[in-house]
Amino acid sequence: MLLPSPFILALLGALGITTLVMLIAGVSPLAVYQILFFGAFSTPVRFGDMVMLATPLILCASGLTLTFAAGLYNLGVEGQVVLGAIAAMIPLRLFPELPTPLLWTLSLSCAACGGACWALLAASLRLGARVSEIFAGLGLNFLASGLALYLILGPWRRSGAAAASGTALLPRDIWLPTLEGLRLAPLAPIIALLGLGLVWWVLSRTRWGLEVRAVGINPNAADRLGVAATWRIAQAMAGCGALAGIAGGLQIIAVFHQLIPNISSGVGLLGLLVVLLVLARPVWVLPVSIIFASFTVGSVQLPLALGVDSSIAGVLQGALVLSALLARGVRRERAQRI
């Protein structure tokens, strides 16, 4: 008897775990699921918020498929988002008089460079000092957050008692334009989709992508076959950092319009969950990112509608990933026994 697909097993397992949590808390699971699954689509404003949350999530998850393909666990993606946001602020503060399209291009280019350089720092620790990219990335995350806080409280400090909440708002004329009555900036999701399409193309249609996947399977064997494993690892990390940096730049010019302490909003770590769930396959990044963003936006309505803490969305997201990993493990174990 064949087992159901891993996705069905993951969904059933996640729903089972989350339902148990809600029953223990004395909450109606059906009411919670209705809001989580459909709340983000209930009004145009909530739908726009979901798209704007999915945008940096798609970029981070797309970049992480590159590093996962290379056999790397880039837990430093959060710091790369932060460095991208910091780098994006530099031209916005220095050259606000430039033509707006040129300023956007310059800002996002700086964001990509900032994220890529931060990722290359983690890669250099991995390749040069044999420090695991997991520990290097986590350490660099804290360093990036500290740097952002220093800039907010120090050189970029705004006058007023609430200086710790962020820098001064950017002039409105350099914000990405939004649809009337919504917080949705159409250019932002377009950039995210272009980034996802580029990652899919390079991984599935180019020799470079083939070599990155070969390095991910066995770097020593790939090196013996003439693949520059060290360069491919560094390039994959830089590519991921660049996309994460662009996500940080969009957080500045399209969402918050200022540098705030939590500028990443956790999208990097959420992107890690997305990539783990889709097994680093770019083709599934878009739908799963939309699902995760829908859960997050829908969960905001739970405290008012049902008196339930919005963190239940995180329980469901984490349970999905955990159930998917368990399902794949069961299938692999079963296949080995046959």
Side-chain angles (χ1 to χ4, degrees), residues 15-272:
L15 291 176
I17 294 171
T18 311
T19 299
L20 180 61
V21 171
M22 287 186 286
L23 289 175
I24 293 173
V27 181
S28 170
L30 289 178
V32 172
Y33 289 140
Q34 183 178 6
I35 293 176
L36 283 180
F37 282 95
F38 304 109
F41 303 92
S42 58
T43 68
V45 172
R46 288 169 183 160
F47 178 78
D49 291 344
M50 183 273 293
V51 173
M52 292 307 292
L53 176 58
T55 293
L57 183 54
I58 291 169
L59 284 166
C60 290
S62 299
L64 286 166
T65 59
L66 292 174
T67 52
F68 270 70
L72 303 171
Y73 290 87
N74 182 19
L75 268 64
V77 65
E78 279 281 309
Q80 292 148 30
V81 173
V82 175
L83 258 292
I86 292 172
M89 283 288 292
I90 295 174
L92 297 175
R93 294 177 63 88
L94 293 179
F95 312 112
E97 71 284 352
L98 289 177
T100 304
L102 177 60
L103 188 58
W104 291 339
T105 303
L106 182 60
S107 178
L108 292 179
S109 298
C110 289
C113 290
C117 289
W118 206 246
L120 283 173
L121 182 55
S124 65
L125 291 172
R126 162 76 157 76
L127 298 170
R130 295 293 185 263
V131 177
S132 168
E133 73 278 3
I134 296 175
F135 300 115
L138 289 174
L140 289 171
N141 286 348
F142 285 107
L143 183 56
S145 297
L147 178 59
L149 192 58
Y150 164 73
L151 291 171
I152 292 169
L153 297 176
W156 293 351
R157 179 185 177 89
R158 66 174 177 177
S159 59
S165 63
T167 60
L169 285 173
L170 296 169
R172 280 189 173 271
D173 57 350
I174 61 176
W175 296 8
L176 279 188
T178 58
L179 298 179
E180 186 175 356
L182 303 177
R183 292 182 285 263
L184 172 57
L187 186 59
I190 291 173
I191 292 172
L193 292 176
L194 289 175
L196 175 58
L198 178 62
V199 168
W200 171 83
W201 180 73
V202 298
L203 283 180
S204 62
R205 294 291 185 271
T206 67
R207 179 182 178 85
W208 184 87
L210 179 63
E211 291 180 351
V212 167
R213 296 199 304 275
V215 170
I217 295 171
N218 191 323
N220 293 327
D223 204 43
R224 293 190 193 99
L225 293 174
V227 176
T230 299
W231 278 109
R232 294 297 175 263
I233 288 173
Q235 290 164 356
M237 286 288 286
C240 180
L243 289 171
I246 292 173
L250 290 175
Q251 292 288 81
I252 294 291
I253 63 175
V255 180
F256 297 108
H257 314 298
Q258 60 179 159
L259 181 64
I260 63 174
N262 188 30
I263 190 66
S264 71
S265 300
V267 293
L269 296 179
L270 200 56
L272 283 167

